Amino acid sequence: MSNPALATGDWVTVAVLVRPRGIRGEITAVSQSGHPERFAQLKSVRVFLPDKPGAGDEYRVERVWDHLGTLVFKFAGVDSMNDAELLRGAEVRIPPGERVALDPGEYFQSDLIGCEVRDHQTKRVIGCVTGWEEYGGPSLLQVDGGRILIPFVKAICVDIRPADRVIETLLPEGLEDPVKA
């Protein structure tokens, strides 16, 4: 299983820009990829600002590095703290074809959004994957907007077929029961 690269339209989010670092236009980021080595290969990306709809602006990546556990980007033409500040909160995206190759049994979370979740034995439809939740343990499939949270582990999600848009599960007893306050 891979950490998600979030899919948005024809682009995949690999990082979210957080805040300027220093005075030379560097900006810290939070990775949205479970493959940190992928950032060293980035040459050109699209930067999508949260309050600016559209296709995003193309930026040439001069350098990306890890500084004490924090991802740092330096883009060509972003040469001051003020320039970097304008990118705060933006998503760094790439085309889907530039995602890293996954090992067998690994999946991009974005590829599983929209998959139908079924009971493995009866084939009964449980719902549709609408998102993910992360709390430090295994990722949780958010089904029907959070109506059910299913741990994304091999013992429960026993047959995963993104190409068919299906995830078959063996749910533990009581997982579908409504929560009582």
Side-chain angles (χ1 to χ4, degrees), residues 160-175:
I160 303 163
R161 301 187 315 268
D164 296 333
R165 310 301 295 148
V166 171
I167 299 172
E168 292 188 4
T169 62
L170 292 172
L171 295 182
E173 190 173 327
L175 191 67

Side-chain angles (χ1 to χ4, degrees), residues 5-168:
L6 305 173
T8 309
D10 293 332
W11 299 91
V12 178
T13 301
V14 294
V16 177
L17 301 175
V18 179
R19 68 177 189 281
R21 177 190 174 273
I23 61 170
R24 294 187 179 103
E26 299 163 350
I27 187 163
T28 63
V30 175
S31 173
Q32 299 296 306
S33 172
H35 295 269
E37 70 280 2
R38 71 129 26 264
F39 293 102
Q41 282 90 42
L42 289 179
K43 302 293 181 218
S44 178
V45 297
R46 292 273 180 167
V47 175
F48 289 74
L49 294 164
D51 57 349
K52 183 180 172 189
D57 295 320
E58 187 169 350
Y59 282 82
R60 188 172 58 78
V61 177
E62 287 184 0
R63 186 171 169 224
V64 182
W65 68 98
D66 181 279
H67 177 73
L68 303 173
T70 299
L71 193 60
V72 181
F73 277 83
K74 174 62 178 89
F75 297 110
V78 179
D79 298 317
S80 71
M81 184 185 298
N82 290 339
D83 292 344
E85 181 63 40
L86 296 174
L87 300 178
R88 183 186 289 259
E91 294 183 5
V92 177
R93 298 183 192 170
I94 59 169
E98 292 182 16
R99 295 186 295 188
V100 296
L102 297 177
D103 293 329
E106 288 189 317
Y107 306 93
F108 290 110
Q109 289 178 349
S110 59
D111 290 347
L112 301 181
I113 302 282
C115 283
E116 188 174 79
V117 179
R118 298 181 189 159
D119 180 275
H120 182 63
Q121 295 170 332
T122 67
K123 307 304 182 209
R124 175 180 61 85
V125 174
I126 296 167
C128 180
V129 177
T130 54
W132 292 85
E133 294 194 19
E134 306 276 346
Y135 296 104
S139 298
L140 300 172
L141 286 171
Q142 187 183 78
V143 177
D144 294 342
R147 179 180 62 83
I148 302 172
L149 298 175
I150 300 173
F152 193 64
V153 295
K154 290 180 183 181
I156 295 174
C157 298
V158 296
D159 188 9
I160 303 163
R161 301 187 315 268
D164 296 333
R165 310 301 295 148
V166 171
I167 299 172
E168 292 188 4

